[in-house]
Amino acid sequence: MTQDAEVIVVGAGPAGSTVATYLARAGVDVLLLEKTTFPRDKVCGDGLTPRGVKQLIDLGLDMSPEAGWTFSKGLRIITGDLHLQLDWPDLTSYPPYGVSRTRHDFDELLAQTAVKAGARLQERTTVTGALTDERTGRVVGVEGKAGPDKRPVSYRAPLVLACDGVSARLALSVGIEKSDKRPMGVAVRRYYKSPRHSEEYIEGHLELWDRADPANPKLLPGYGWAFPLGDGTVNVGLGMLSTSASFRNIDYRQLLRSWLDGTPEEWGYREENAVGRIGGAGLPMGFNRTPHYRDGMLLLGDAGGMVSPFNGEGISAAMESAQLAAEHVVQALARPEGPSRERALAGYPRAVADLMGGYYRLGNVFAKLIGKPKVMRAATKYGLRVNPIIPLVYKGLSGCYDAKGGDAVDRIIAAMARVTPSA
């Protein structure tokens, strides 16, 4: 049958635009389908750890402040009565700095990079499901609705890459369900005008306190963040894991307000300084949707549940999966259709598992533990006061460690990831 491209990529977020860029640079004919139009916003913390920065460098993006990037020197961990300020580690694998940039133009920048590389971007195209071969069940394209009139469309290609985020419509259309044994997260965020917009450290609040009544402060479930954007605003938000007993019975927007009303007045996190509304999003974690390859379709990023259970970061994993997917797709397309091509494609889920699988298994255990308030409170109250443990906690939670080689802390984390059993 007539083919519309060699590869169809569904979703022009970090995973989709990154894989489209690498494939187009390799000479592959790529059709990149995006349901919205750029620029567009997305609920996110807007901050990348050094692990994510490496991916931007690999793409060859201009990372200068003049190009709109705000840099972070490290992470400030805040609990009820403890502040730790930790610089990003200097590693072989990752640079010693993080960056922040709003998703409003971050995603558009990545999409433009893909277009410059030769990918064909088609906006206002909502993909509703996969097209499959009636005889073999193999994915041979996608169907959906396009344009302002939402006319029915279909496109065909030998390979389809699902980068459609937490909705995972493509995976669901071929029966790839999520696993309830893996954690899910919910995140809400809002922008605030704040004098802290130029701080050099991003913040992680491991205890959220409602101090509306100073005589009776309440410890709230979840963890919070504050990512300075350097433009007069700070992205402030909080997240909670499904391992918490409160997960399904919380008004997250009210939870955010309760926490921020208890922060120091001079920080500016008050209603009169708010920019825009509170936004919320789901976070599919710990490989909660597999297999990552089946019958002509690959799952990348959030569509494959690749958000870190440790810190809720999804951009770096999305771009890492994109880099691996592009490598295996290019090799597969260089082979004839049939068993040899399938062997090349089968290497993708193995490569993703080798890179993230053990670390995420460890993260799934961590998510179960901190879902218990007493464990979380004890960990923050006592664990962060044991100086030798701090580098282990810091590198482990951020994912910024050298998986091969590195120092003793790196080797401990890598060893723990290897021996942690599957959940």
Side-chain angles (χ1 to χ4, degrees):
M1 292 185 178
T2 302
Q3 294 179 351
D4 298 286
E6 289 182 282
V7 174
I8 294 173
V9 177
V10 179
S17 291
T18 299
V19 73
T21 299
Y22 284 126
L23 290 174
R25 286 176 180 174
V28 176
D29 179 21
V30 182
L31 178 60
L32 176 59
L33 304 177
E34 166 59 32
K35 66 181 180 180
T36 63
T37 57
F38 290 105
R40 56 131 165 92
D41 199 11
K42 188 170 183 179
V43 174
C44 182
D46 296 338
L48 281 81
T49 66
R51 188 162 185 150
V53 176
K54 177 189 181 298
Q55 292 300 312
L56 301 177
I57 295 171
D58 285 349
L59 274 178
L61 297 185
D62 179 359
M63 297 293 296
S64 65
E66 293 75 19
W69 300 95
T70 299
F71 289 74
S72 65
K73 292 177 62 176
L75 173 66
R76 185 181 295 125
I77 298 176
I78 298 177
T79 69
D81 52 5
L82 179 67
H83 289 205
L84 290 176
Q85 190 160 284
L86 306 168
D87 288 349
W88 294 120
D90 199 353
L91 303 167
T92 300
S93 304
Y94 309 113
Y97 58 88
V99 297
S100 296
R101 189 180 189 121
T102 69
R103 294 292 294 273
H104 185 74
D105 66 351
F106 177 79
D107 286 24
E108 183 177 21
L109 176 63
L110 293 182
Q112 290 173 347
T113 302
V115 171
K116 289 177 183 177
R120 293 181 286 129
L121 172 63
Q122 184 169 306
E123 299 173 272
R124 289 189 179 182
T125 304
T126 300
V127 171
T128 55
L131 290 174
T132 57
D133 185 290
E134 293 181 358
R135 294 177 298 106
T136 65
R138 185 177 181 82
V139 174
V140 293
V142 299
E143 59 185 355
K145 300 175 182 178
D149 57 348
K150 298 183 179 180
R151 67 186 184 280
V153 293
S154 62
Y155 303 98
R156 292 180 175 270
L159 293 173
V160 172
L161 277 55
C163 307
D164 49 350
V166 65
S167 68
R169 286 184 179 180
L170 274 173
L172 287 171
S173 74
V174 295
I176 302 177
E177 304 285 344
K178 69 180 179 67
S179 170
D180 292 332
K181 294 182 179 180
R182 302 290 189 266
M184 275 289 293
V186 168
V188 292
R189 68 97 174 94
R190 200 176 196 183
Y191 297 101
Y192 291 87
K193 297 176 184 176
S194 169
R196 295 164 66 82
H197 75 96
S198 57
E199 290 277 325
E200 293 183 312
Y201 291 81
I202 64 174
E203 288 182 352
H205 294 254
L206 301 188
E207 293 179 11
L208 306 183
W209 289 94
D210 179 356
R211 291 189 170 89
D213 179 1
N216 185 32
K218 297 179 181 178
L219 182 61
L220 302 170
Y223 62 93
W225 71 75
F227 291 167
L229 296 172
D231 61 355
T233 66
V234 178
N235 179 317
V236 187
L238 62 82
M240 185 188 292
L241 297 173
S242 59
T243 51
S244 169
S246 306
F247 181 72
R248 299 189 184 281
N249 303 307
I250 287 287
D251 181 339
Y252 290 95
R253 288 165 174 78
Q254 182 55 45
L255 184 66
L256 180 65
R257 295 188 187 99
S258 298
W259 166 44
L260 296 182
D261 284 346
T263 59
E265 188 82 30
E266 61 270 21
W267 288 7
Y269 304 154
R270 296 294 187 272
E271 189 67 28
E272 61 269 21
N273 299 319
V275 179
R277 294 181 294 181
I278 298 174
L283 304 176
M285 296 177 166
F287 286 4
N288 78 336
R289 197 179 302 276
T290 57
H292 290 137
Y293 172 71
R294 178 196 286 172
D295 296 333
M297 185 168 73
L298 290 73
L299 308 187
L300 284 67
D302 287 10
M306 296 183 190
V307 175
S308 169
F310 282 109
N311 59 22
E313 183 178 17
I315 294 176
S316 60
M319 298 179 74
E320 287 171 349
S321 69
Q323 198 170 35
L324 292 172
E327 176 185 338
H328 287 85
V329 166
V330 168
Q331 292 298 321
L333 291 176
R335 303 182 182 194
E337 290 187 31
S340 181
R341 179 176 289 187
E342 289 303 299
R343 277 192 288 274
L345 292 168
Y348 166 68
R350 290 197 296 268
V352 171
D354 287 345
L355 179 65
M356 310 176 203
Y359 178 65
Y360 279 8
R361 286 197 304 272
L362 190 61
N364 291 338
V365 174
F366 170 80
K368 289 182 179 179
L369 290 175
I370 67 169
K372 299 175 174 60
K374 290 183 179 179
V375 174
M376 182 65 166
R377 178 71 174 136
T380 56
K381 186 173 182 179
Y382 303 110
L384 292 177
R385 285 178 166 80
V386 181
N387 287 337
I389 292 179
I390 291 174
L392 181 66
V393 173
Y394 184 36
K395 286 187 173 184
L397 293 182
S398 68
C400 295
Y401 66 96
D402 282 321
K404 296 180 180 179
D407 62 17
V409 171
D410 298 330
R411 292 193 292 273
I412 290 172
I413 297 171
M416 291 172 65
R418 284 195 301 270
V419 301
T420 302
S422 298

